[in-house]
Amino acid sequence: MILVLGATGTTGSALVDALLSGGHEVTAVTRDPARMRARAGLTISTGIEPADAIYLVAPPGPEIPEHDLANIRAAIGLGIKRIVKLSAIGTPDHPVRETQLGSWHQPGEAAVRASGRSWTILRPTTFASNSLAWADDLREGRPIPNFWGDGRQGVVDPADVAAVAAAALTSDAHDGQTYTLTGPELITVPEQVAVLGEILGVKATAVDTPSEAEGARLVREGGNAVVTGDVERILGRRPATFRAWAEANRARF
Ligand SMILES: NC(=O)c1ccc[n+]([C@@H]2O[C@H](COP(=O)([O-])OP(=O)(O)OC[C@H]3O[C@@H](n4cnc5c(N)ncnc54)[C@H](OP(=O)(O)O)[C@@H]3O)[C@@H](O)[C@H]2O)c1
């Protein structure tokens, strides 16, 4: 049995699908069971239950350490033997100031490594699906505010992150590994917007919008211009491009 936190969310929902198609028994954790579609092999729960492995997801924000530490404690208490933690690119290996970029996932990563269980840490870069936040602006012909300038990123398809998570949860081949998960190419926000305009058949523009947020500055200065081969090494195929993600998800805009 594999327990999936964040089962209604971006990577968790894709992971539930991947695990069920692979014939695994899954318990999906959500605060609102009505949001999960019943399927063979799927149990729905509002909390952590005994399982062989757990996909540890925390909702984004400064409370990530609190969520992670409580869930890791519960998983250890229930004897769950394998923990796969969804972290984020750039998370430092060692403790950092609470205000420093990358600090949200660091305590959870450290706790997973010290858990005495089998573990894998996944550090994905920016999800392609973040662009769904632009859907209203795209539909209504408004320019997309661009906080990231011409900073390039290796934008990743969350389904590829889920496929790697499925591999790590269902074998011991990835125990003790920390993976940085990216797409196959670097792309800027204006380029993403142009791809979406083409695929959706709308006029799409990005307007440079200054932001002092640390994450925006890092991307603008080229600090997240990272592409790795981890997804391809693990899955044995190239990760999806932003264009491929957009084509597969056009109905969601
Ligand atoms: N977005 C990115 O580009 C990106 C990149 C790298 C890493 N990440 C990391 O990925 C993780 C997930 O981010 P996401 O934006 O993709 O979120 P998400 O997976 O779409 O949502 C997380 C899930 O958490 C649950 N949730 C929300 N608020 C909660 C709360 N207060 N208490 C308990 N559960 C709660 C929700 O499930 P229910 O409502 O069903 O309970 C939701 O399905 C974050 O830790 C983030 O740092 C994101």
Side-chain angles (χ1 to χ4, degrees):
M1 175 64 76
I2 296 166
L3 196 73
V4 177
L5 302 189
T8 59
T10 318
T11 60
S13 56
L15 175 60
V16 169
D17 293 345
L19 289 169
L20 290 174
S21 341
H24 299 281
E25 299 268 307
V26 177
T27 299
V29 178
T30 171
R31 294 166 302 167
D32 181 5
R35 290 174 61 202
M36 290 298 303
R37 183 166 54 88
R39 277 164 284 172
L42 181 66
T43 305
I44 301 167
S45 169
T46 54
I48 297 193
E49 293 186 359
D52 302 303
I54 181 171
Y55 183 54
L56 188 72
V57 175
E63 281 155 17
I64 287 175
E66 210 176 294
H67 283 285
D68 273 353
L69 298 180
N71 289 331
I72 293 164
R73 212 174 303 123
I76 292 172
L78 288 169
I80 296 177
K81 292 195 178 66
R82 169 167 291 125
I83 305 175
V84 175
K85 170 170 163 54
L86 180 66
S87 179
I89 194 166
T91 298
D93 289 331
H94 303 290
V96 283
R97 285 190 329 275
E98 247 180 58
T99 51
Q100 192 174 323
L101 199 68
S103 65
W104 290 348
H105 284 287
Q106 202 281 330
E109 284 199 6
V112 165
R113 290 197 182 93
S115 64
R117 310 291 154 160
S118 301
W119 58 265
T120 309
I121 289 168
L122 309 182
R123 292 176 176 170
T125 191
T126 303
F127 296 158
S129 51
N130 293 356
S131 64
L132 289 167
W134 307 331
D136 289 347
D137 286 340
L138 285 167
R139 255 195 323 270
E140 284 157 35
R142 289 190 297 261
I144 309 300
N146 173 22
F147 308 112
W148 305 274
D150 283 328
R152 302 163 83 211
Q153 306 187 80
V155 175
V156 69
D157 182 340
D160 284 339
V161 177
V164 169
L169 285 159
T170 56
S171 94
D172 56 12
H174 306 286
D175 290 354
Q177 300 296 319
T178 299
Y179 295 125
T180 296
L181 306 178
T182 74
E185 63 190 11
L186 294 172
I187 185 166
T188 66
V189 163
E191 286 165 351
Q192 285 179 266
V193 170
V195 167
L196 289 171
E198 208 185 298
I199 288 171
L200 301 173
V202 297
K203 187 168 167 289
T205 53
V207 59
D208 218 28
T209 309
S211 163
E212 280 317 304
E214 213 182 335
R217 202 169 54 237
L218 176 95
V219 172
R220 238 185 354 251
E221 291 169 358
N224 197 30
V226 176
V227 163
T228 72
D230 284 359
V231 171
E232 184 162 4
R233 262 192 301 280
I234 296 157
L235 301 181
R237 61 159 174 83
R238 297 262 293 161
T241 59
F242 179 74
R243 179 178 288 275
W245 174 86
E247 276 164 356
N249 287 273
R250 65 186 294 169
R252 299 171 71 191
F253 281 88

